[in-house]
């Protein structure tokens, strides 16, 4: 007689329930963020793949960004140093840092508008947290900006500029930029997924912001009105990176303004993420 076969164990399946009466939006949003950071290596791999696909077939690849930034830096440096009657030795390093930091901010904001729209297929078909796509956007732009960092070293070497001990403040400055970039990706990604016209509005506003933010001109030109510059959210976020490289690290007021704008951006982005995270799959 054959021994009876042992009973086959059925795999345990986790059933996720959703109660419309108690959506638990806050808990689900926090779980999304925690899971997104836990899968940071996945976001990094996706960001690298995006850059690889963007420059597929190109000989120089991302180096074209470095060359175009170098050409723009040389052209604007010679032009505006003459218009503003400033010494090129003083103006060009300041312009170089300003352009690179501004390009990072502007490209991140523009990319944030479509970070969820571009991930439409993954959002609808894969159980990935939405924060992974936001982190993917931030890391993608960080890697792009890293190709321009050697330009700062080249300009500083040309004019014999050696940053002091305050250069260590670049680390918290970049951290503030990273936090704001993630907040922009979550907020603008959701808003632009619902209202596609916002992409064009943000693009137009960023063009205006370029001219009213001290990127190609110095705040000293405002004279008695320079104290109002921290009211421009882009100025303190640029200054916490620029000042440690060129000056003594920036004033306390600039750092407080940068921290205040960061807290405001994070609060608004988190509120939108908690409220509308569950609707993203229907909007993209």
């Amino acid at each position: 007689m054959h021994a009876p076969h042992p009973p086959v164990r059925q795999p345990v399946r986790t059933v996720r329930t959703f109660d419309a009466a108690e959506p638990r939006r806050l808990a689900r949003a926090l779980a999304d963020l925690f899971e997104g950071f836990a899968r940071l290596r996945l976001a990094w791999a996706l960001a690298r793949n995006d850059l690889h696909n963007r420059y597929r077939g190109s000989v120089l690849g991302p180096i074209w960004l470095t060359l175009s930034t170098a050409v723009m830096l040389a052209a604007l440096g010679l032009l505006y140093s003459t218009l503003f009657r400033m010494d090129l030795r003083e103006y060009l390093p300041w312009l170089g840092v300003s352009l690179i930091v501004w390009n990072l901010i502007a490209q991140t904001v523009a990319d944030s508008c479509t970070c969820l729209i571009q991930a439409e297929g993954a959002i609808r078909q894969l159980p990935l947290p939405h924060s992974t796509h936001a982190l993917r956007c931030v890391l993608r732009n960080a890697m792009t900006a890293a190709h321009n960092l050697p330009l700062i070293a080249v300009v500083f070497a040309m004019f014999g500029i050696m940053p002091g001990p305050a250069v260590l403040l670049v680390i918290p400055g970049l951290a503030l930029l990273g936090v704001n970039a993630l907040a922009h990706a979550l907020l603008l990604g959701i808003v632009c997924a619902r209202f596609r016209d916002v992409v064009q509005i943000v693009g137009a506003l960023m063009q205006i912001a370029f001219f009213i933010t001290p990127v190609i001109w110095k705040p000293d030109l405002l004279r008695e009105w320079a104290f109002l510059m921290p009211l421009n959210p882009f100025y303190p976020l640029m200054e916490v990176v620029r000042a440690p490289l060129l000056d003594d690290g920036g004033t306390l007021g600039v750092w407080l303004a940068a921290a205040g704008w960061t807290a405001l951006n994070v609060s608004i982005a988190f509120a939108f993420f908690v409220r509308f995270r569950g609707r993203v799959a229907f909007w993209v």
Side-chain angles (χ1 to χ4, degrees):
M1 299 179 61
H2 297 284
H5 295 286
V8 179
R9 294 184 178 181
Q10 298 293 333
V12 179
R13 297 182 179 180
T14 301
V15 180
R16 297 184 179 181
T17 60
F18 178 79
D19 187 358
E22 297 181 2
R24 299 174 57 222
R25 295 190 181 97
L26 178 60
R28 292 179 182 275
L30 290 175
D32 188 299
L33 290 172
F34 288 142
E35 187 177 357
F37 279 99
R39 299 186 180 186
L40 190 60
R41 292 181 60 184
L42 174 61
W44 175 266
L46 292 173
R48 289 185 58 187
N49 185 66
D50 290 339
L51 289 182
H52 176 74
N53 292 333
R54 181 180 301 177
Y55 298 104
R56 178 180 297 174
S58 175
V59 177
L60 297 180
I63 303 301
W64 282 113
L65 295 175
T66 307
L67 294 178
S68 62
T69 305
V71 172
M72 179 179 295
L73 176 61
L76 294 181
L78 293 174
L79 174 62
Y80 284 99
S81 63
T82 303
L83 293 178
F84 297 146
R85 298 180 180 179
M86 299 180 62
D87 184 11
L88 187 63
R89 178 187 180 88
E90 176 186 354
Y91 179 69
L92 192 61
W94 188 88
L95 178 64
V97 177
S98 300
L99 274 181
I100 291 174
V101 176
W102 174 259
N103 286 339
L104 172 60
I105 295 175
Q107 291 173 2
T108 303
V109 170
D111 203 11
S112 298
C113 294
T114 57
C115 67
L116 295 181
I117 298 174
Q118 293 176 348
E120 173 187 358
I123 291 175
R124 292 186 175 182
Q125 300 177 21
L126 298 176
L128 287 178
H130 296 335
S131 56
T132 295
H133 307 297
L135 289 169
R136 172 185 182 180
C137 171
V138 175
L139 294 174
R140 180 170 61 235
N141 286 277
M143 286 188 283
T144 302
H147 290 88
N148 291 328
L149 292 180
L151 288 178
I152 298 179
V154 170
V155 174
F156 280 16
M158 288 174 55
F159 295 100
I161 298 177
M162 182 63 66
V167 72
L168 295 177
L169 292 176
V170 169
I171 299 176
L174 290 175
L176 287 176
L177 282 184
V179 172
N180 279 275
L182 181 58
H184 290 152
L186 292 175
L187 175 60
L188 294 177
I190 292 175
V191 174
C192 293
R194 178 62 181 87
F195 304 102
R196 303 301 172 93
D197 292 337
V198 177
V199 178
Q200 309 301 326
I201 296 174
V202 171
L205 292 177
M206 291 304 295
Q207 291 180 357
I208 298 174
F210 174 77
F211 293 104
I212 65 175
T213 305
V215 179
I216 58 178
W217 52 273
K218 288 192 173 185
D220 300 341
L221 297 175
L222 294 179
R223 298 179 183 178
E224 66 270 13
W225 298 102
F227 72 96
L228 294 176
M229 285 308 304
L231 297 179
N232 180 349
F234 296 106
Y235 167 71
L237 292 176
M238 289 186 60
E239 195 66 13
V240 293
V241 178
R242 182 171 53 193
L245 291 173
L246 298 172
D247 299 320
D248 56 353
T251 63
L252 178 61
V254 167
W255 283 92
L256 291 178
W261 282 113
T262 300
L264 180 61
N265 290 337
V266 170
S267 300
I268 296 175
F270 185 70
F272 269 74
F273 189 65
V274 171
R275 181 65 180 83
F276 300 109
R277 188 197 66 86
R279 303 185 185 182
V280 171
F282 301 99
W283 290 346
V284 294

